[in-house]
Amino acid sequence: MTNFKANFKSNFIFITGGVVSSLGKGIITASLASLIEELNYKVNIIKLDPYLNVDAGTMNPYEHGEVFITFDGGETDLDIGHYERFTNILFSKNNNITAGKIYMDLITKEREGVFLGKTIQVVPHLTNEIKEKILKLSDGFDFILVEVGGTVGDIEGLPFLEAIRQMAIEYKNKVKFIHITFVPFLKHTGELKTKPSQHSIKKLQESGIQPDLVIVRSDIPITQEIKNKIALFSNLLPKYVINIPNLSNVYQVPLLLLNQNISNFLFNNKRKNDLKERSKWVDLNIIIKKIERQSNVINIAIIGKYTNLKDSYKSLIEALRHSSIENKAKINIKLIDSTKHENRIIKKELQYIDGFIIAGGFGTRGIQGKINILKYLREKGIPTLGICLGLQLMVIEFFQNVLNIKEATSQEFILDKNNTLKDDDRYIYVVKLMEDQKYIKLVGGTMRLGNYKCKIIENTLAFKIYQQNEIVERHRHRYEINNEYLDLLESKGFIVSGINEELNVVEIMEYVNHPFYFGVQFHPEFNSRVFRPNKLFTFFINLLKKRKS
Ligand code: GLN
């Protein structure tokens, strides 16, 4: 038994997945939370990740998609991003609990002597630690959705399944389980196959968990016959098997869930029909449909180096989508791999693009390609938004090609083999390591992370965009624009229009002799929601729309 007293008002909904990963569990969980929130219930979401990293911060985007930054500086799983984009909830880093974090806290307690004399075991000690963390985040909420990462059957996931199984006994009718599976369509026989789903449901049941609802993901809509079959193997009535086929837009998911009577499952009889017609997702989907029918398309390119995996730029892509809905403009996003432009730019790839975003990133790979592309965009007057590393490269390119200081670079690119800074007078560090970063030895969780204020300078484009004197945005970086050289940049029209006064860090720069050449040290993409897009992207798309008409 855990020490923490639960709020018995809380309803727990545990969401597991089977068959394959990347089923969109995060989007379904976020959609459920949004529907619950619409009925004014207090809802919280927890993501349990069975991997042993303490957080997602040290993972390459290719391993696990983007790292999502929370307001309080958490480097979290990208699902936390989905949760924020669909709801009004502001998530803390504590809402993402990895197995690594649980083991670390448990072992720390053991060293402190908390369990003195006892043998520490997975059951009950590790499972208690999991339950305690869930309960702590449940206090004061009507609904707690807990998404268990990974796939049922993974070795790492077993303690999590055991912990939530125990919670079903401890909190009886307050607990529901949703299992999400996949039904593949075999092209050569033209059949939908339920066998993998049957196996994964069996596997879940072997862990002592009986799903209350099965959500079937599929490439094409499944038939009632398939639903019946899955229901039979799941010990469920067919009405508790619902289907989410692939959709053109993830923001259709809440409505699709509503249309399949998810309210019956979530709420008691009194409230179950309250959402039917008046959900905010109804209107949003009407707008989305209208936009999809438009023939004019704004082409936006994201220049980066993790372009093989779209999930690496998840928040950025979604933020652009939010602002396109706000502008009622259809957009098409193209990912361009900057490493292909290292020797010289391939103009063909940059053609017909209305606006460019130079994305954030780390390390030297792909840098020269980005600089080459920036030179072209600056000279041609093509709207360009630089984010974090993007801003830093805008500054470097400006020094190299406008001020003709070819030695200009960032300290990040001149690290020696041991990853330590080299004092090399062949280079001029126009981008340098932040002062407080110099003494940091650990890699995980040590960047300048999360919310910081940015003062907006009046009579600038930035002020026109934000219409306020101060904004707060999320950050994730170690390097900054070197203030020593700002006068030189400003003398040529590349001016500072946003600054963090406490740390004296440049936050926004803009080039006055250009239609839109705008760089930000922060990551506006982490602060955009479908019902409240980020002002910067909204302005950007609005500008592209006006230029096109
Ligand atoms: N690598 C750069 C830094 O650490 C930029 C980081 C980013 O783009 N998120 O400052």
Side-chain angles (χ1 to χ4, degrees):
M1 279 286 158
T2 47
N3 321 329
F4 198 84
K5 272 270 152 283
N7 171 356
F8 279 91
K9 254 175 60 204
S10 309
N11 294 286
F12 297 97
I13 300 177
F14 294 105
I15 297 123
T16 55
V19 184
V20 286
S21 57
S22 308
L23 283 179
K25 258 189 305 176
I27 286 166
I28 292 172
T29 305
S31 304
L32 292 168
S34 142
L35 296 173
I36 296 171
E37 198 179 42
E38 270 197 279
L39 288 187
N40 293 324
Y41 288 114
K42 284 197 78 192
V43 52
N44 200 7
I45 315 179
I46 302 168
K47 174 76 195 286
L48 301 177
D49 273 309
Y51 49 73
L52 289 176
N53 302 57
V54 173
D55 61 37
T58 51
M59 279 192 252
N60 183 317
Y62 276 142
E63 290 276 323
H64 211 76
E66 127 192 310
V67 177
F68 184 80
I69 306 301
T70 55
F71 75 92
D72 56 351
E75 298 180 284
T76 64
D77 190 85
L78 58 73
D79 280 319
I80 306 290
H82 293 309
Y83 305 162
E84 283 204 353
R85 288 189 283 274
F86 277 72
T87 66
N88 296 312
I89 312 169
L90 191 60
F91 290 94
S92 148
K93 55 182 161 196
N94 300 328
N95 288 62
N96 188 192
I97 307 172
T98 68
K101 175 100 180 75
I102 289 170
Y103 278 104
M104 195 167 82
D105 290 355
L106 184 68
I107 292 167
T108 306
K109 280 187 192 166
E110 187 274 335
R111 291 288 84 184
E112 287 167 6
V114 173
F115 311 107
L116 216 53
K118 291 268 183 287
T119 308
I120 315 301
Q121 295 178 298
V122 171
V123 183
H125 300 99
L126 192 75
T127 46
N128 278 353
E129 189 70 32
I130 297 170
K131 288 193 286 182
E132 212 162 291
K133 284 200 158 52
I134 295 174
L135 292 176
K136 263 192 191 145
L137 291 164
S138 309
D139 200 21
F141 290 96
D142 303 309
F143 283 86
I144 324 297
L145 307 192
V146 182
E147 181 189 345
V148 183
T151 328
V152 166
D154 296 345
I155 292 177
E156 293 98 331
L158 290 175
F160 287 107
L161 293 183
E162 173 55 19
I164 65 176
R165 182 196 69 81
Q166 292 175 16
M167 285 187 73
I169 299 165
E170 290 166 19
Y171 301 98
K172 270 201 194 87
N173 44 13
K174 292 283 180 189
V175 172
K176 281 181 179 154
F177 292 103
I178 299 180
H179 189 57
I180 304 178
T181 69
F182 180 63
V183 167
F185 175 70
L186 293 192
K187 273 203 193 109
H188 60 280
T189 58
E191 276 177 300
L192 287 157
K193 290 294 194 186
T194 63
K195 190 72 81 188
S197 291
Q198 293 176 33
H199 281 301
S200 106
I201 290 158
K202 277 275 154 328
K203 198 86 207 153
L204 187 69
Q205 289 167 336
E206 274 169 28
S207 307
I209 295 172
Q210 165 59 41
D212 299 292
L213 181 80
V214 171
I215 300 182
V216 179
R217 289 277 295 108
S218 55
D219 292 329
I220 55 167
I222 63 171
T223 58
Q224 188 57 45
E225 203 186 335
I226 298 282
K227 283 189 188 174
N228 295 348
K229 201 165 166 185
I230 292 175
L232 188 67
F233 281 101
S234 314
N235 274 337
L236 288 173
L237 293 173
K239 66 176 180 184
Y240 293 116
V241 176
I242 63 181
N243 178 216
I244 306 280
N246 283 353
L247 299 163
S248 59
N249 194 303
V250 291
Y251 302 109
Q252 294 169 6
V253 173
L255 213 51
L256 200 59
L257 289 168
L258 264 187
N259 291 341
Q260 295 181 77
N261 289 324
I262 195 74
S263 309
N264 283 355
F265 174 78
L266 292 175
F267 309 117
N268 58 27
N269 283 342
K270 269 212 307 271
R271 311 258 354 230
K272 72 179 187 195
N273 290 325
D274 286 7
L275 264 176
K276 273 264 162 67
E277 260 116 54
R278 67 171 173 88
S279 168
K280 58 186 178 182
W281 295 100
V282 174
D283 290 339
L284 187 86
N285 273 278
I286 294 172
I287 300 172
I288 290 175
K289 283 263 146 58
K290 265 194 197 147
I291 296 172
E292 276 176 2
R293 283 196 293 269
Q294 287 176 11
S295 52
N296 282 351
V297 184
I298 297 168
N299 291 303
I300 299 172
I302 296 175
I303 314 287
K305 67 171 172 179
Y306 312 109
T307 47
N308 284 340
L309 184 68
K310 269 198 171 155
D311 271 0
S312 312
Y313 299 106
K314 192 89 221 163
S315 292
L316 190 49
I317 292 171
E318 292 307 319
L320 287 167
R321 287 200 180 129
H322 302 162
S323 289
S324 84
I325 297 172
E326 175 100 339
N327 276 296
K328 304 210 170 35
K330 189 171 174 176
I331 58 165
N332 174 38
I333 301 169
K334 180 176 172 185
L335 299 184
I336 295 182
D337 179 359
S338 62
T339 57
K340 288 202 253 155
H341 299 257
E342 298 275 67
N343 295 329
R344 59 188 167 76
I345 57 164
I346 307 161
K347 279 215 187 101
K348 221 175 77 199
E349 237 203 340
L350 310 179
Q351 256 174 0
Y352 312 116
I353 308 271
D354 303 299
F356 286 78
I357 294 178
I358 314 292
F362 296 85
T364 50
R365 197 170 66 85
I367 292 300
Q368 192 53 47
K370 286 185 180 172
I371 292 181
N372 295 345
I373 292 173
L374 277 169
K375 178 172 188 286
Y376 172 81
L377 299 174
R378 180 181 50 73
E379 288 174 351
K380 289 273 183 256
I382 301 168
T384 306
L385 172 61
I387 294 177
C388 203
L389 179 68
L391 164 70
Q392 297 172 359
L393 294 176
M394 279 174 152
V395 166
I396 293 169
E397 189 281 324
F398 203 89
F399 269 103
Q400 294 182 351
N401 301 319
V402 179
L403 293 154
N404 215 9
I405 302 174
K406 301 289 179 204
E407 304 81 2
T409 186
S410 164
Q411 279 181 330
E412 183 178 9
F413 312 144
I414 317 292
L415 295 172
D416 66 16
K417 282 191 213 79
N418 304 322
N419 241 5
T420 47
L421 282 181
K422 263 201 316 203
D423 253 336
D424 191 328
D425 50 20
R426 280 177 304 167
Y427 303 105
I428 295 172
Y429 296 123
V430 295
V431 177
K432 66 171 179 64
L433 190 68
M434 296 185 75
E435 208 40 48
D436 53 358
Q437 290 286 327
K438 287 187 182 154
Y439 312 101
I440 286 169
K441 292 273 178 292
L442 291 179
V443 176
T446 53
M447 281 187 244
R448 181 178 179 232
L449 291 168
N451 273 5
Y452 283 92
K453 285 184 203 156
C454 166
K455 182 185 157 198
I456 308 291
I457 317 280
E458 280 180 36
N459 299 319
T460 60
L461 177 60
F463 200 85
K464 197 173 156 200
I465 294 170
Y466 293 109
Q467 317 258 343
Q468 64 201 86
N469 292 309
E470 189 179 272
I471 57 165
V472 176
E473 289 280 1
R474 300 186 194 175
H475 296 71
R476 187 183 192 223
H477 64 119
R478 282 186 208 288
Y479 297 85
E480 62 174 334
I481 308 300
N482 192 341
N483 290 338
E484 269 179 58
Y485 302 107
L486 287 180
D487 287 349
L488 267 174
L489 291 169
E490 293 205 316
S491 71
K492 293 280 182 200
F494 199 17
I495 62 162
V496 176
S497 52
I499 180 170
N500 176 284
E501 287 187 309
E502 284 84 21
L503 300 169
N504 198 18
V505 172
V506 171
E507 293 278 1
I508 309 177
M509 295 196 68
E510 56 192 69
Y511 184 29
V512 295
N513 306 321
H514 192 287
F516 187 90
Y517 198 73
F518 197 88
V520 291
Q521 188 58 72
F522 48 80
H523 288 271
E525 69 272 26
F526 296 133
N527 204 357
S528 174
R529 298 171 187 239
V530 66
F531 290 106
R532 200 206 63 212
N534 186 283
K535 283 184 182 169
L536 180 52
F537 295 109
T538 301
F539 183 93
F540 184 59
I541 292 184
N542 188 260
L543 176 99
L544 303 182
K545 184 176 154 185
K546 280 196 205 136
R547 280 169 65 93
K548 225 171 168 166
S549 59

